Amino acid sequence: MTRVRKVVNEEELEQAFKIREEVFIKEQEVNPEEEFDEFENSSTHFLAFDKDGNPCGTGRWRVTEHGIKLERFAVLSSCRMTGVGQSIVKAVLSDIENDPNVSQQKIYMHAQTAAIDFYKKFGFEVVGNEFVECGIKHFTMEK
């Protein structure tokens, strides 16, 4: 079973960044300047661990003027299709629901078009038209 926890120190944050570098920068060829942004320190980050305790996935949420934005969900290729992504989304949504300061705000994301069906399983719905972000097709989704 996948273990997911909130990032609590710099070492864990670096592990999350390494996963994002592998998935977004190396695999999907996202520009590093676009991947790492000014919201890293104001976001709540999560790290998933495989059955052997190795970091294998990450995600984050942050408060924006439009509500709570889920971002930067990434799972190493060797751990995909094993439930890691689902575990991360569940942990993030649970964290938001249990935070009285943000639990009543709208939750949204910019989901890669290929992941639309995955996020629909969690109650997200597509709003608006497809757009390109970091060279990848996306839709805005809301819960």
Side-chain angles (χ1 to χ4, degrees), residues 56-131:
C56 63
T58 188
R60 76 179 193 190
W61 68 265
R62 66 184 174 94
V63 177
T64 74
E65 62 186 15
H66 304 292
I68 304 301
K69 187 175 185 189
L70 278 56
E71 301 177 303
R72 305 308 200 271
F73 285 83
V75 176
L76 295 177
S77 60
S78 60
C79 295
R80 291 184 194 140
M81 307 304 288
T82 64
V84 172
Q86 290 184 34
S87 296
I88 297 168
V89 174
K90 287 177 184 175
V92 168
L93 291 174
S94 176
D95 189 56
I96 293 166
E97 290 166 8
N98 290 314
D99 186 331
N101 296 318
V102 298
S103 61
Q104 300 304 311
Q105 294 187 43
K106 175 179 76 175
I107 300 173
Y108 74 103
M109 67 172 67
H110 292 171
Q112 291 186 12
T113 300
I116 294 296
D117 289 338
F118 172 77
Y119 292 116
K120 283 183 176 179
K121 296 176 189 174
F122 299 95
F124 286 89
E125 295 180 4
V126 170
V127 293
N129 298 316
E130 188 176 59
F131 60 95

